Amino acid sequence: MAVTTFIPQVWEAKLLTNFHKASIADVITTPPTEIKGNKIIFNRVGAVAVKDYAGSVSFDDLSTSSAELDMDQKKYFAFKVKDVDKAQAAGDLVDSHTSEAAATLQETVDKFVLGLYAGAHVDNVIGTDAAPIALDKLNVYDKIVDLGTKLNKKKVPKAGRYVIINSDALGLLSKDDRFTRQPVVLENGVVEGQVINGMQVVVSEEVANTSGKFKFIALHKSAVGYGKQIDETEAMRLEGDFADGVRGLMVYGAEVLRPEALAVLTATIA
């Protein structure tokens, strides 16, 4: 059967919806102010001066600086569908076909964003590859508190802070009386109701890992800028197969915008 009524917007919308459900990158980063082609633009407000009052007021011009970032990361998906028109007409089939692609994209993007730990300010580093911190149930909570203290010293805003750990670290935390014994992890990795030193706890298996040395990061949403878009989604009849093909291209990019708002803990799990 020929592909006659394929509507790319339907598949793109479903894919992005499924992606947003599970994406940690969307939760912990700042979206761009503007997207122009394959460029994402972020605006940063300059400092506002506070002056002594002596009977008169002078007004300063507000300043903003912008950062442009290329969405130079490109990933595609391509899968077969026996009948695109029928799958599209049945909305639940669209979900089933796109959810798997969305999950894989989510893992890929989260790994990329969490791999930006090297952009943390030098003052905000705890442990190194040569001398990682050995975490156990007795010290894991305190080391996460230390990450938040690093942000405090840089006067990072209190609201909008996150700390990203993996399941092993969450397991250790669950043995500490200061943390819940039965944490509930939401679909996007947020551990419901769990805040340590002002930071919402988020769990991801995509944290950077080099030979068992994990990079747990704490950050404010403004630390990292991130943007994405689906560039192309199309369907075609496959030659040599009794099926239709659906393929799509996703482009994205991310960059550390505020190093002082990002802290990293290099650790092993005991």
Side-chain angles (χ1 to χ4, degrees):
M1 176 180 177
V3 180
T4 57
T5 58
F6 179 72
I7 306 173
Q9 293 83 356
V10 171
W11 294 77
E12 289 172 2
K14 290 291 186 181
L15 181 68
L16 288 174
T17 298
N18 287 329
F19 184 85
H20 280 296
K21 282 181 183 178
S23 174
I24 288 173
D26 283 310
V27 174
I28 66 173
T29 63
T30 292
T33 307
E34 186 179 2
I35 297 179
K36 288 184 177 180
N38 275 5
K39 285 188 178 294
I40 47 180
I41 301 170
F42 303 89
N43 287 330
R44 181 172 179 172
V45 178
V48 176
V50 176
K51 310 167 187 175
D52 293 327
Y53 179 68
S56 62
V57 175
S58 62
F59 292 87
D60 299 323
D61 292 329
L62 291 178
S63 62
T64 59
S65 58
S66 62
E68 289 191 2
L69 172 64
D70 288 327
M71 290 190 286
D72 55 357
Q73 303 296 309
K74 300 180 180 181
K75 305 294 179 183
Y76 77 90
F77 58 90
F79 52 83
K80 298 177 183 179
V81 183
K82 287 302 181 182
D83 190 324
V84 165
D85 293 339
K86 286 183 179 179
Q88 186 170 271
D92 57 335
L93 289 180
V94 174
D95 277 332
S96 65
H97 287 303
T98 56
S99 60
E100 180 62 27
T104 304
L105 284 173
Q106 173 246 324
E107 292 173 358
T108 302
V109 173
D110 285 349
K111 183 175 292 185
F112 177 76
V113 171
L114 296 177
L116 297 175
Y117 63 85
H121 193 284
V122 65
D123 295 339
N124 292 353
V125 175
I126 301 174
T128 64
D129 286 338
I133 305 298
L135 296 182
D136 55 36
K137 66 180 182 179
L138 299 178
N139 69 358
V140 62
Y141 192 99
D142 292 332
K143 291 303 178 183
I144 291 176
V145 168
D146 291 344
L147 280 174
T149 301
K150 293 289 187 183
L151 300 184
N152 290 341
K153 288 184 175 181
K154 293 298 182 184
K155 300 181 180 179
V156 175
K158 304 293 185 185
R161 290 187 185 185
Y162 299 89
V163 58
I164 298 87
I165 60 176
N166 62 10
S167 296
D168 288 331
L170 179 63
L172 293 178
L173 279 173
S174 301
K175 299 173 183 178
D176 191 304
D177 290 335
R178 291 168 290 182
F179 198 79
T180 182
R181 292 288 181 176
Q182 294 180 319
V184 176
V185 182
L186 304 181
E187 191 173 5
N188 60 2
V190 171
V191 183
E192 191 172 34
Q194 295 305 305
V195 176
I196 298 178
N197 199 7
M199 303 177 295
Q200 171 63 58
V201 178
V202 180
V203 175
S204 173
E205 297 312 306
E206 308 311 320
V207 295
N209 174 10
T210 304
S211 300
K213 299 168 186 174
F214 300 101
K215 304 289 183 176
F216 300 139
I217 65 173
L219 78 168
H220 183 265
K221 281 180 69 74
S222 63
V224 175
Y226 159 66
K228 68 178 183 299
Q229 64 182 4
I230 302 294
D231 247 14
E232 301 285 347
T233 306
E234 58 187 8
M236 71 290 295
R237 191 63 177 171
L238 298 177
E239 293 185 15
D241 201 331
F242 295 104
D244 300 325
V246 177
R247 65 185 181 186
L249 174 66
M250 177 180 177
V251 296
Y252 61 95
E255 186 174 273
V256 175
L257 301 177
R258 294 176 180 262
E260 70 278 10
L262 174 63
V264 58
L265 165 65
T266 300
T268 57
I269 302 294

